[in-house]
């Protein structure tokens, strides 16, 4: 059983489109995250949710909107995609309210905007 | 502002060698430090988590040490194997929200 699973694994789309990435964790963790890894492999947090509530919202364009229907799911919707949005997006989860516990990552969703 | 640096950026060693990866951070007031491994096209796998009160953690052939006062951590890999080839990242919580700050990683290649 995959602990943190995200879909789709690959996503190729045109500029201006809207797309969503879904994430689910079966670890019973309280906190879920979205990270972005750019072409230089630098990993940076975008959002963090604890029990469906937003607790970290980095300087991310408001075209990115996370949604957490329950504490096991955290989806990422992106409007009006731009070329610079091309990256690998990772979902992660941890126990507790902060990034102090061990993080478990999904395998990533590679987004390519043409 | 917390900054995390990893040296070297890339490392190639023959199989069987012991090796050390380095991680430096600018703000020593950390809660913990984590080491991760990332295989190509995959997500990150947590290797070791060291609490601020600890000096080291061991898991199999891996040993991570933490020296908060000097802002350094090392990951020691004993008897390296080709399967150890991956990118290794360290991360510390930083800032008002204690979000994780990642280093840029060390790309390790173990030659058979």
């Amino acid at each position: 059983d995959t602990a943190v699973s995200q879909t789709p694994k690959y996503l190729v789309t045109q500029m201006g489109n809207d797309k969503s990435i879904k994430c689910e964790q079966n670890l019973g963790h309280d906190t879920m995250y979205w990270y972005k890894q750019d072409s230089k492999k630098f990993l940076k947090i975008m959002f963090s949710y604890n029990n469906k509530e937003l607790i970290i919202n980095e300087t991310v364009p408001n075209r990115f909107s996370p949604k957490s229907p329950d504490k096991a799911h955290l989806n990422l919707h992106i409007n009006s995609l731009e070329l610079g949005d091309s990256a690998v997006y990772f979902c992660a989860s941890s126990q507790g309210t902060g990034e102090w516990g061990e993080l478990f990552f999904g395998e990533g969703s590679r987004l390519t905007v043409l | 502002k917390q900054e995390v640096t990893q040296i070297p950026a890339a490392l190639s060693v023959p199989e069987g060698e012991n090796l050390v990866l380095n991680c430096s951070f600018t703000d020593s007031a950390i809660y913990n430090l984590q080491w991760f491994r990332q295989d190509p096209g995959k997500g990150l796998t947590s290797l070791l988590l060291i609490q601020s009160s600890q000096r080291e953690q061991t898991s199999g052939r891996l040993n991570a040490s933490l020296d908060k006062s000097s802002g350094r951590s090392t990951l020691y890999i004993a008897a390296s194997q080709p399967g150890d080839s991956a990118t290794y990242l360290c991360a510390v919580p930083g800032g008002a929200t204690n979000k994780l700050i990642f280093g840029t990683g060390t790309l390790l290649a173990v030659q058979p």
Side-chain angles (χ1 to χ4, degrees), chain A residues 9 35 37 40-45 55-56 58 90 98-108 110, chain B residues 31-32 34 36 38 41-49 51 89 93 97-104:
Chain A
K9 190 168 184 178
Y35 284 85
Q37 188 172 45
K40 295 182 180 178
K41 307 296 184 187
F42 188 63
L43 201 65
K44 192 170 181 183
I45 191 168
I55 56 174
I56 292 177
E58 286 299 289
F90 286 100
E99 294 178 79
W100 300 345
E102 187 177 6
L103 253 66
F104 291 80
F105 280 81
E107 295 214 330
R110 182 176 293 277
Chain B
Y31 187 81
N32 61 33
Q34 297 187 54
F36 296 88
Q38 185 175 24
K42 300 287 187 181
L44 279 70
T45 301
S46 178
L47 296 173
L48 290 162
L49 185 153
Q51 301 295 345
L89 298 107
T97 54
N98 269 319
K99 62 181 185 293
L100 270 186
I101 310 295
F102 281 85
T104 48

Side-chain angles (χ1 to χ4, degrees), chain B residues 5 13 15-16 20 24 28-30 32 34 40 58 62 67 72 74 81 84 91 94 102-106 109-110:
Chain B
T5 307
V13 299
E15 183 177 3
V20 175
S24 300
S28 61
I30 60 170
N32 61 33
Q34 297 187 54
T58 298
L62 304 180
D67 184 345
R72 291 180 185 175
T74 60
Q81 302 171 358
D84 295 331
F102 281 85
T104 48
T106 294
V110 180

Side-chain angles (χ1 to χ4, degrees), chain B:
Chain B
K1 180 185 172 186
Q2 179 71 275
E3 292 181 4
V4 182
T5 307
Q6 291 187 244
I7 295 172
L11 182 63
S12 181
V13 299
E15 183 177 3
E17 265 201 17
N18 302 325
L19 58 101
V20 175
L21 307 180
N22 297 293
C23 172
S24 300
F25 45 94
T26 54
D27 185 350
S28 61
I30 60 170
Y31 187 81
N32 61 33
L33 182 144
Q34 297 187 54
W35 279 96
F36 296 88
R37 167 188 174 138
Q38 185 175 24
D39 293 283
K42 300 287 187 181
L44 279 70
T45 301
S46 178
L47 296 173
L48 290 162
L49 185 153
I50 313 176
Q51 301 295 345
S52 61
S53 57
Q54 298 175 314
R55 297 283 295 183
E56 63 179 51
Q57 277 279 18
T58 298
S59 175
R61 294 180 294 106
L62 304 180
N63 176 279
S65 68
L66 176 63
D67 184 345
K68 276 182 56 178
S69 60
S70 65
R72 291 180 185 175
S73 176
T74 60
L75 180 66
Y76 176 82
I77 302 178
S80 58
Q81 302 171 358
D84 295 331
S85 298
T87 297
Y88 290 81
L89 298 107
C90 64
V92 295
T97 54
N98 269 319
K99 62 181 185 293
L100 270 186
I101 310 295
F102 281 85
T104 48
T106 294
L107 177 60
L108 172 65
V110 180
Q111 309 299 331

Side-chain angles (χ1 to χ4, degrees), chain A residues 60-75:
Chain A
V60 176
N62 57 14
R63 298 182 294 104
F64 290 78
S65 52
K67 282 190 172 53
S68 182
D70 55 62
K71 76 172 193 176
H73 295 84
L74 180 61
N75 303 323

